[in-house]
Amino acid sequence: MSDSPGFPDSAARDRDEAESASAFAHPAVAPDRTAAYGDHPDQVIDFYAPRDGRTAAPLVVLLHGGAWRAPYDRAHVSPLADFLARRGFAVASVEYRRGGDGDPAPGGDPVAGRWPETLDDVAAALDAVPTLAARELPEADVRRIVVTGHSAGGHLALWAAARHVLPEGSPWHLPAPPPLRGVVALAPIADFATAVELGVCGGAVTQLLGGGGESGDPDDRTAQADPAALLPTGIATAIVHGEDDIVVPPAVSEAYVDAAAKSGETAGLTLLGDVGHFPLIDPSADACAIVAEEITQLAW
């Protein structure tokens, strides 16, 4: 899915490839309903009803990863959405605009992210979720929302929970904290400085902030988009990260947790031994059950 930072040894690369193959081997699971939150084809949300037939189920808003690049859409986390639905959750899986139009980035990958459209869409989707879920998924309890996301989607989950920390002049600013039970971020790109230093996802952070050729101040963009710069949030936050992750090394999450502590806030960090990047979204992996437990602890 992306370039690994540094120079992991061949055993680590082989393991990452095997874990990726396992996570992506599951067939896509069709949603129960899909609703648009805007006019662009990518501005849609897939809804999954709880499989046990319960009503007033906590709602998990799921943001997929893929380094904010266009080839990776919500289909690859649909098995995770179904897994959570089978655990008794209602699920809203969000699509959003990603980078990929025009010339590729150095190394041949599509450019990561669109500025400001990627963040525009996540903000709009989160604002629309309560109304759309009430209409499309009456089984969902929109008073109990937990946001989760993997990798670049983990970044977006943390960012979505921090919009009230943005300056009032920001187009994404919220006047009060969003009504969330909490955030569970899975191997998130949570601290931009550390991610850039480690070359995470082939320079995806730098490309996101570069905005695909649109002019802008990268420092100002960092201040508005870096979760580690938007603390404290006052929102319960849990991070799950594999100790053997070579795609987004755990040092990225550790830096965020340190930044949270310096701001006077505690962010939980669960490091899973013998786990890499992809088992967190793989329903056949034990790590995925741990993810569901973390969500359960915040939702109920």
Side-chain angles (χ1 to χ4, degrees), residues 27-36 44-51 62 74-83 85 90-95 136-137 139:
V29 180
D32 296 299
R33 303 169 193 88
T34 298
V44 294
I45 302 174
D46 288 342
F47 290 99
Y48 296 79
R51 303 309 186 207
L62 174 59
R74 68 195 186 282
H76 79 270
V77 294
S78 63
L80 173 60
D82 179 66
F83 176 83
V91 182
S93 182
V94 175
E95 193 56 272
E136 302 291 339
L137 202 65
E139 301 93 333

Side-chain angles (χ1 to χ4, degrees), residues 110-166:
V111 173
R114 297 188 189 184
W115 188 283
E117 289 91 343
T118 297
L119 299 184
D120 285 345
D121 286 0
V122 172
L126 268 291
D127 290 346
V129 157
T131 298
L132 292 179
R135 185 187 76 198
E136 302 291 339
L137 202 65
E139 301 93 333
D141 182 354
V142 297
R143 300 166 300 177
R144 292 189 291 166
I145 298 177
V146 174
V147 179
T148 190
H150 177 244
S151 197
H155 157 262
L156 295 172
L158 293 170
W159 179 84
R163 290 168 54 204
H164 59 292
V165 183
L166 290 166

Side-chain angles (χ1 to χ4, degrees), residues 19-292:
E19 290 178 339
S20 173
S22 177
F24 282 78
H26 302 279
V29 180
D32 296 299
R33 303 169 193 88
T34 298
Y37 63 89
D39 295 331
H40 191 278
D42 284 337
Q43 293 175 323
V44 294
I45 302 174
D46 288 342
F47 290 99
Y48 296 79
R51 303 309 186 207
D52 58 4
R54 77 174 66 199
T55 58
L59 177 62
V60 178
V61 178
L62 174 59
L63 294 156
H64 71 81
W68 311 289
R69 291 183 171 123
Y72 310 107
D73 62 17
R74 68 195 186 282
H76 79 270
V77 294
S78 63
L80 173 60
D82 179 66
F83 176 83
L84 293 172
R86 286 186 279 112
R87 291 293 185 109
F89 293 104
V91 182
S93 182
V94 175
E95 193 56 272
Y96 53 90
R97 284 174 285 182
R98 303 159 322 279
D101 295 338
D103 295 332
D109 283 332
V111 173
R114 297 188 189 184
W115 188 283
E117 289 91 343
T118 297
L119 299 184
D120 285 345
D121 286 0
V122 172
L126 268 291
D127 290 346
V129 157
T131 298
L132 292 179
R135 185 187 76 198
E136 302 291 339
L137 202 65
E139 301 93 333
D141 182 354
V142 297
R143 300 166 300 177
R144 292 189 291 166
I145 298 177
V146 174
V147 179
T148 190
H150 177 244
S151 197
H155 157 262
L156 295 172
L158 293 170
W159 179 84
R163 290 168 54 204
H164 59 292
V165 183
L166 290 166
E168 291 187 10
S170 169
W172 308 302
H173 171 77
L174 289 177
L180 304 175
R181 284 291 181 94
V183 179
V184 179
L186 314 176
I189 304 177
D191 182 281
F192 278 7
T194 305
V196 169
E197 179 183 353
L198 296 175
V200 164
C201 297
V205 168
T206 300
Q207 293 165 29
L208 172 69
L209 297 176
E214 183 179 324
S215 62
D217 180 353
D219 291 336
D220 178 66
R221 292 181 176 188
T222 298
Q224 294 205 58
D226 181 2
L230 300 173
L231 290 164
T233 67
I235 303 291
T237 300
I239 296 176
V240 184
H241 214 125
E243 288 185 350
D244 295 336
D245 192 333
I246 63 171
V247 178
V248 182
V252 179
S253 285
E254 291 168 345
Y256 175 86
V257 171
D258 288 345
K262 290 176 182 176
S263 77
E265 188 162 84
T266 299
L269 175 59
T270 300
L271 292 173
L272 303 181
D274 299 321
V275 170
H277 192 64
F278 295 99
L280 303 178
I281 62 169
D282 182 352
S284 65
D286 291 341
C288 203
I290 295 172
V291 167

